[in-house]
Amino acid sequence: MPPKSRSFQISATPATMFAHLLAIAVTALVLVWLLHFRGGLAFESANKGKILNMHALLMAVGFIVFAGEAIMAYKSVPAKRKVQKAFHVTLHLIALAAGVVGVYAAFKFKHEVEEKDMTSLHSWLGMITICLFGLQWLLGFFSFVFPGAEMSARGSYRPWHVFGGLAIFFLAISAAQTGLLETSIFLVLGLSQEGLIVNFTGLLLFLFAVGVGLSSVLPRGRY
């Protein structure tokens, strides 16, 4: 008879810890890039690039990192499920707020430099992501938090909620990658120090998405 144990099965813990470390690394790289190479951050400035820097910070760190941490909350928060759910909902709400303000910063920059809006693939992907993310949050809140659907309805919707959340998260990563690529090409960064930081930021964002995805689908480890 085949053995009943499945010792080959990997828990979510290593992937979750890996993703946490990548979140820190992404945050550090983005801050170094924007503060050291791009001149800083501001919503009001004669240097309009600082407004666009706010967009990059809010979308990469405020939106993507917080959304990823929200997805992993059920695996990374060592507490009862209600507490995990509270972290999940709150972190997603912070991500949504950061994303909305980040989109506003992008429109503000375009308006102040008198350029047309929504002309690139990056802008299309970003807008679709924010709209779907907001819809996903609302559906999840009213289905699982308040007032909450019936248990049978929750059970039927839960797999789609998980799938939709991951799909939207990966869409956000795609939007970020196209944004970094646009920036690198427009500024002709090449393999300069700034260009390497931008490239490594994109690479770490991809690895962060892999870590979040694995954390989501693998079983929770023991604490």
Side-chain angles (χ1 to χ4, degrees):
M1 294 179 61
K4 294 183 179 180
S5 65
R6 299 181 63 187
S7 58
F8 62 89
Q9 192 174 59
I10 302 174
S11 76
T13 303
T16 305
M17 296 303 297
F18 178 62
H20 287 326
L21 293 175
L22 287 170
I24 296 172
V26 166
T27 301
L29 278 181
V30 170
L31 287 174
V32 168
W33 175 40
L34 298 178
L35 297 178
H36 179 69
F37 291 96
R38 292 287 93 209
L41 306 160
F43 272 114
E44 298 289 344
S45 176
N47 179 0
K48 304 306 177 184
K50 292 184 178 182
I51 302 174
L52 191 60
N53 292 347
M54 287 297 302
H55 168 74
L57 177 67
L58 288 167
M59 301 312 291
V61 178
F63 183 60
I64 289 179
V65 169
F66 272 87
E69 292 293 336
I71 291 172
M72 297 187 294
Y74 286 106
K75 303 295 173 63
S76 61
V77 178
K80 294 182 179 180
R81 191 166 182 82
K82 286 186 177 180
V83 177
Q84 294 173 341
K85 180 185 291 187
F87 272 92
H88 179 76
V89 173
T90 303
L91 290 174
H92 267 318
L93 183 59
I94 293 172
L96 178 60
V100 170
V101 178
V103 169
Y104 164 76
F107 278 106
K108 179 178 174 63
F109 168 78
K110 289 287 187 177
H111 174 73
E112 296 201 6
V113 299
E114 299 182 348
E115 292 183 2
K116 290 184 178 180
D117 299 315
M118 303 300 295
T119 59
S120 65
L121 176 62
H122 169 65
S123 61
W124 290 12
L125 291 176
M127 185 59 68
I128 292 170
T129 299
I130 287 295
C131 292
L132 290 178
F133 191 92
L135 178 61
Q136 168 86 346
W137 191 90
L138 287 173
L139 289 174
F141 182 81
F142 288 115
S143 297
F144 300 111
V145 180
F146 181 84
E150 295 182 358
M151 291 303 296
S152 59
R154 292 188 192 186
S156 299
Y157 174 58
R158 185 172 287 110
W160 293 105
H161 179 72
V162 173
F163 170 77
L166 285 175
I168 294 168
F169 180 70
F170 293 140
L171 183 60
I173 296 295
S174 299
Q177 302 289 22
T178 55
L180 291 172
L181 179 61
E182 277 187 20
T183 300
S184 183
I185 293 174
F186 180 77
L187 297 176
V188 196
L189 297 180
L191 291 179
S192 63
Q193 283 187 334
E194 184 177 359
L196 289 174
I197 286 180
V198 171
N199 288 351
F200 275 110
T201 300
L203 178 61
L204 293 184
L205 280 172
F206 167 74
L207 293 176
F208 178 61
V210 172
V212 170
L214 287 174
S215 175
S216 176
V217 301
L218 291 174
R220 182 176 180 177
R222 295 180 180 273
Y223 289 92

